[in-house]
Amino acid sequence: GIQVEQSPPDLILQEGANSTLRCNFSDSVNNLQWFHQNPWGQLINLFYIPSGTKQNGRLSATTVATERYSLLYISSSQTTDSGVYFCAVVTDNYGQNFVFGPGTRLSVLP
Amino acid sequence: DTEVTQTPKHLVMGMTNKKSLKCEQHMGHRAMYWYKQKAKKPPELMFVYSYEKLSINESVPSRFSPECPNSSLLNLHLHALQPEDSALYLCASSHVMRARNSPLHFGNGTRLTVT
Protein backbone atom coordinates (compact mmCIF):
# COMPACT_ATOMS: atom_id res chain seq x y z
CA GLY A 1 0.00 0.00 0.00
CA ILE A 2 0.86 3.65 -0.16
CA GLN A 3 3.41 5.02 2.30
CA VAL A 4 2.92 8.49 3.80
CA GLU A 5 5.75 10.26 5.58
CA GLN A 6 5.70 13.54 7.46
CA SER A 7 8.53 15.73 8.60
CA PRO A 8 9.67 16.88 11.02
CA PRO A 9 8.15 14.49 13.58
CA ASP A 10 8.39 17.11 16.32
CA LEU A 11 8.69 20.88 16.17
CA ILE A 12 9.00 23.46 18.93
CA LEU A 13 8.48 27.10 18.04
CA GLN A 14 8.42 30.41 19.82
CA GLU A 15 5.18 32.30 19.39
CA GLY A 16 5.33 34.45 16.26
CA ALA A 17 7.68 32.17 14.34
CA ASN A 18 6.94 30.62 10.94
CA SER A 19 7.17 26.95 10.01
CA THR A 20 6.84 24.52 7.13
CA LEU A 21 5.54 20.98 7.53
CA ARG A 22 6.04 18.40 4.80
CA CYS A 23 4.07 15.36 3.67
CA ASN A 24 5.58 12.89 1.18
CA PHE A 25 3.65 10.02 -0.37
CA SER A 26 4.89 7.05 -2.32
CA ASP A 27 2.27 6.75 -5.05
CA SER A 28 -0.28 8.75 -7.00
CA VAL A 29 -3.17 10.00 -4.93
CA ASN A 30 -6.63 11.18 -5.83
CA ASN A 31 -6.85 13.57 -2.93
CA LEU A 32 -4.99 14.96 0.06
CA GLN A 33 -6.23 16.57 3.22
CA TRP A 34 -4.46 18.34 6.11
CA PHE A 35 -5.82 18.13 9.67
CA HIS A 36 -4.96 19.69 12.99
CA GLN A 37 -5.62 17.56 16.07
CA ASN A 38 -5.85 19.75 19.13
CA PRO A 39 -4.82 18.61 22.62
CA TRP A 40 -8.42 17.51 23.29
CA GLY A 41 -8.32 15.08 20.38
CA GLN A 42 -10.54 16.98 17.98
CA LEU A 43 -9.52 16.62 14.32
CA ILE A 44 -10.05 19.86 12.45
CA ASN A 45 -10.05 20.17 8.68
CA LEU A 46 -7.42 22.60 7.48
CA PHE A 47 -7.19 22.03 3.76
CA TYR A 48 -8.55 19.70 1.15
CA ILE A 49 -5.88 20.08 -1.50
CA PRO A 50 -5.27 17.44 -4.18
CA SER A 51 -3.14 19.94 -6.11
CA GLY A 52 -2.25 23.60 -6.20
CA THR A 53 -2.09 26.17 -3.43
CA LYS A 54 -4.69 27.34 -0.94
CA GLN A 55 -4.57 29.91 1.82
CA ASN A 56 -6.69 30.40 4.91
CA GLY A 57 -5.54 33.22 7.16
CA ARG A 58 -2.13 32.43 8.60
CA LEU A 59 -2.11 28.97 7.08
CA SER A 60 -1.45 27.95 3.52
CA ALA A 61 -0.84 24.65 1.75
CA THR A 62 0.71 23.57 -1.52
CA THR A 63 0.44 20.13 -3.10
CA VAL A 64 2.66 19.11 -6.03
CA ALA A 65 0.99 15.86 -7.00
CA THR A 66 3.44 15.05 -9.80
CA GLU A 67 6.31 15.13 -7.29
CA ARG A 68 4.29 13.43 -4.55
CA TYR A 69 4.51 15.95 -1.75
CA SER A 70 2.51 18.58 0.06
CA LEU A 71 3.61 21.45 2.28
CA LEU A 72 1.74 23.19 5.09
CA TYR A 73 2.92 26.68 6.02
CA ILE A 74 2.11 28.25 9.36
CA SER A 75 2.99 31.91 9.74
CA SER A 76 3.07 34.01 12.92
CA SER A 77 2.39 30.93 15.02
CA GLN A 78 0.21 31.14 18.12
CA THR A 79 -0.01 28.89 21.17
CA THR A 80 -3.39 27.67 19.91
CA ASP A 81 -1.59 26.19 16.88
CA SER A 82 -0.10 23.54 19.16
CA GLY A 83 -1.14 19.97 18.53
CA VAL A 84 -0.52 17.33 15.90
CA TYR A 85 -0.76 18.00 12.18
CA PHE A 86 -1.71 15.08 9.97
CA CYS A 87 -1.85 14.73 6.24
CA ALA A 88 -4.14 12.05 4.81
CA VAL A 89 -4.19 10.80 1.24
CA VAL A 90 -6.80 8.99 -0.77
CA THR A 91 -5.82 6.36 -3.28
CA ASP A 92 -9.02 4.56 -4.29
CA ASN A 93 -11.27 5.80 -7.05
CA TYR A 94 -14.24 6.28 -4.74
CA GLY A 95 -12.19 8.37 -2.37
CA GLN A 96 -12.92 6.43 0.77
CA ASN A 97 -9.66 4.81 1.80
CA PHE A 98 -7.88 7.67 3.57
CA VAL A 99 -4.36 6.80 4.73
CA PHE A 100 -2.88 9.05 7.41
CA GLY A 101 0.74 10.02 7.83
CA PRO A 102 2.36 9.69 11.27
CA GLY A 103 1.89 13.38 12.04
CA THR A 104 4.02 16.34 13.10
CA ARG A 105 3.72 17.28 16.76
CA LEU A 106 3.93 21.08 17.10
CA SER A 107 4.45 22.94 20.34
CA VAL A 108 4.24 26.74 20.27
CA LEU A 109 5.71 28.37 23.35
CA PRO A 110 4.55 31.75 24.67
CA ASP B 1 -18.32 23.34 16.21
CA THR B 2 -18.33 19.89 14.70
CA GLU B 3 -21.21 18.84 12.45
CA VAL B 4 -20.60 15.20 13.26
CA THR B 5 -21.83 14.33 16.74
CA GLN B 6 -20.50 11.38 18.70
CA THR B 7 -21.84 9.98 21.96
CA PRO B 8 -20.75 9.28 24.56
CA LYS B 9 -17.64 11.43 24.93
CA HIS B 10 -16.10 9.00 27.40
CA LEU B 11 -16.84 5.34 28.07
CA VAL B 12 -15.39 2.92 30.58
CA MET B 13 -16.39 -0.70 30.16
CA GLY B 14 -15.41 -4.09 31.47
CA MET B 15 -14.31 -6.92 29.24
CA THR B 16 -17.66 -8.69 29.60
CA ASN B 17 -19.81 -5.62 28.89
CA LYS B 18 -21.73 -4.80 25.73
CA LYS B 19 -21.86 -1.15 24.76
CA SER B 20 -22.46 0.96 21.65
CA LEU B 21 -20.89 4.09 20.27
CA LYS B 22 -23.13 6.41 18.29
CA CYS B 23 -22.47 8.90 15.51
CA GLU B 24 -24.85 11.27 13.76
CA GLN B 25 -24.43 13.72 10.90
CA HIS B 26 -26.89 15.97 9.08
CA MET B 27 -24.72 17.20 6.22
CA GLY B 28 -26.32 14.91 3.64
CA HIS B 29 -23.18 12.80 3.45
CA ARG B 30 -23.64 9.25 2.22
CA ALA B 31 -20.27 7.85 3.36
CA MET B 32 -19.57 7.29 7.05
CA TYR B 33 -16.43 6.00 8.70
CA TRP B 34 -15.10 4.58 11.94
CA TYR B 35 -11.47 5.23 12.84
CA LYS B 36 -9.49 4.04 15.84
CA GLN B 37 -6.67 6.14 17.26
CA LYS B 38 -4.18 4.97 19.87
CA ALA B 39 -2.12 7.48 21.85
CA LYS B 40 0.56 9.25 19.81
CA LYS B 41 -0.48 7.41 16.62
CA PRO B 42 -2.45 8.48 13.56
CA PRO B 43 -6.07 7.42 13.08
CA GLU B 44 -6.49 3.98 11.54
CA LEU B 45 -9.45 3.15 9.34
CA MET B 46 -11.78 0.44 10.66
CA PHE B 47 -14.97 0.55 8.58
CA VAL B 48 -16.56 2.56 5.78
CA TYR B 49 -20.26 2.63 4.92
CA SER B 50 -21.34 3.95 1.55
CA TYR B 51 -25.05 4.43 0.93
CA GLU B 52 -25.71 2.49 4.14
CA LYS B 53 -23.80 -0.54 2.90
CA LEU B 54 -20.49 -1.72 4.33
CA SER B 55 -17.88 -0.96 1.68
CA ILE B 56 -14.61 -1.29 3.59
CA ASN B 57 -13.76 -3.53 6.57
CA GLU B 58 -10.09 -3.30 7.43
CA SER B 59 -9.93 -6.80 8.94
CA VAL B 60 -11.35 -5.60 12.23
CA PRO B 61 -11.98 -8.26 14.93
CA SER B 62 -15.60 -9.39 15.23
CA ARG B 63 -15.87 -7.96 18.75
CA PHE B 64 -16.42 -4.67 16.89
CA SER B 65 -19.69 -4.69 14.97
CA PRO B 66 -20.70 -1.67 12.89
CA GLU B 67 -24.23 -0.76 11.93
CA CYS B 68 -25.63 1.97 9.69
CA PRO B 69 -29.39 2.18 10.33
CA ASN B 70 -29.87 5.13 7.96
CA SER B 71 -27.92 7.73 6.07
CA SER B 72 -27.47 9.95 9.14
CA LEU B 73 -26.58 7.41 11.79
CA LEU B 74 -23.64 5.11 12.39
CA ASN B 75 -23.20 2.80 15.37
CA LEU B 76 -20.32 0.70 16.62
CA HIS B 77 -21.36 -2.17 18.85
CA LEU B 78 -18.74 -3.39 21.27
CA HIS B 79 -18.63 -6.80 22.95
CA ALA B 80 -15.96 -8.74 24.83
CA LEU B 81 -13.31 -6.09 24.29
CA GLN B 82 -9.75 -6.34 25.49
CA PRO B 83 -7.77 -3.70 27.41
CA GLU B 84 -5.69 -3.09 24.27
CA ASP B 85 -8.86 -1.87 22.55
CA SER B 86 -8.73 1.23 24.73
CA ALA B 87 -8.41 4.16 22.33
CA LEU B 88 -10.08 7.22 20.85
CA TYR B 89 -12.79 6.14 18.41
CA LEU B 90 -13.51 8.69 15.73
CA CYS B 91 -16.47 8.88 13.40
CA ALA B 92 -16.28 10.78 10.12
CA SER B 93 -18.46 11.45 7.10
CA SER B 94 -18.06 12.64 3.52
CA HIS B 95 -19.87 12.81 0.22
CA VAL B 96 -19.43 9.89 -2.16
CA MET B 97 -18.10 11.00 -5.52
CA ARG B 98 -16.28 8.88 -8.01
CA ALA B 99 -12.57 9.73 -8.30
CA ARG B 100 -12.90 13.07 -6.54
CA ASN B 101 -14.29 12.83 -3.06
CA SER B 102 -15.23 15.47 -0.61
CA PRO B 103 -13.20 16.11 2.54
CA LEU B 104 -13.60 14.05 5.66
CA HIS B 105 -15.45 15.69 8.53
CA PHE B 106 -14.69 14.21 11.93
CA GLY B 107 -16.64 14.11 15.15
CA ASN B 108 -14.97 14.81 18.49
CA GLY B 109 -14.53 11.13 19.25
CA THR B 110 -15.34 8.75 22.06
CA ARG B 111 -12.51 8.00 24.47
CA LEU B 112 -12.91 4.34 25.39
CA THR B 113 -11.25 2.64 28.33
CA VAL B 114 -11.56 -1.14 28.71
CA THR B 115 -10.85 -2.42 32.21
Side-chain angles (χ1 to χ4, degrees):
Chain A
I2 192 168
Q3 303 299 311
V4 183
E5 298 174 347
Q6 290 187 243
S7 59
D10 296 280
L11 185 59
I12 300 175
L13 297 175
Q14 209 64 40
E15 200 168 24
N18 303 329
S19 62
T20 301
L21 282 57
R22 187 176 180 103
C23 173
N24 291 335
F25 38 96
S26 61
D27 205 347
S28 301
V29 299
N30 288 328
N31 281 308
L32 185 145
Q33 200 166 346
W34 282 98
F35 295 92
H36 172 218
Q37 189 166 39
N38 64 24
W40 297 271
Q42 186 182 5
L43 272 166
I44 301 162
N45 293 320
L46 296 178
F47 294 101
Y48 171 65
I49 184 166
S51 62
T53 297
K54 291 186 177 179
Q55 179 150 12
N56 184 2
R58 297 181 295 103
L59 273 60
S60 65
T62 295
T63 296
V64 184
T66 52
E67 297 187 23
R68 300 179 183 170
Y69 73 89
S70 183
L71 302 175
L72 178 69
Y73 306 95
I74 304 174
S75 64
S76 303
S77 57
Q78 301 175 357
T79 55
T80 51
D81 295 331
S82 297
V84 183
Y85 290 81
F86 291 106
C87 69
V89 301
V90 172
T91 56
D92 63 304
N93 283 336
Y94 288 91
Q96 294 179 347
N97 199 344
F98 284 82
V99 177
F100 279 73
T104 291
R105 187 171 300 273
L106 174 65
S107 298
V108 180
L109 306 178
Chain B
D1 288 337
T2 182
E3 296 178 67
V4 178
T5 304
Q6 289 187 243
T7 55
K9 290 190 170 79
H10 300 274
L11 179 62
V12 179
M13 61 185 290
M15 289 189 284
T16 58
N17 292 157
K18 286 185 181 181
K19 296 285 185 184
S20 297
L21 309 185
K22 297 187 183 302
C23 175
E24 188 169 5
Q25 58 89 14
H26 294 288
M27 293 181 283
H29 291 164
R30 300 305 296 274
M32 295 188 76
Y33 308 71
W34 281 115
Y35 279 83
K36 174 182 178 179
Q37 187 178 23
K38 300 283 280 184
K40 298 189 186 300
K41 295 289 188 183
E44 291 181 355
L45 184 63
M46 300 174 73
F47 304 104
V48 182
Y49 274 83
S50 180
Y51 295 105
E52 296 90 68
K53 292 192 189 318
L54 186 64
S55 59
I56 296 177
N57 177 345
E58 291 289 334
S59 303
V60 179
S62 60
R63 57 187 184 266
F64 296 91
S65 176
E67 178 196 20
C68 190
N70 60 54
S71 60
S72 300
L73 292 174
L74 184 66
N75 299 320
L76 186 63
H77 302 298
L78 313 172
H79 174 55
L81 294 193
Q82 304 297 311
E84 58 264 29
D85 296 321
S86 299
L88 180 67
Y89 288 84
L90 292 157
C91 173
S93 68
S94 74
H95 289 298
V96 179
M97 287 156 50
R98 188 174 178 85
R100 290 286 177 178
N101 64 313
S102 79
L104 277 180
H105 295 260
F106 278 92
N108 288 341
T110 293
R111 201 165 292 278
L112 173 68
T113 302
V114 182
T115 61

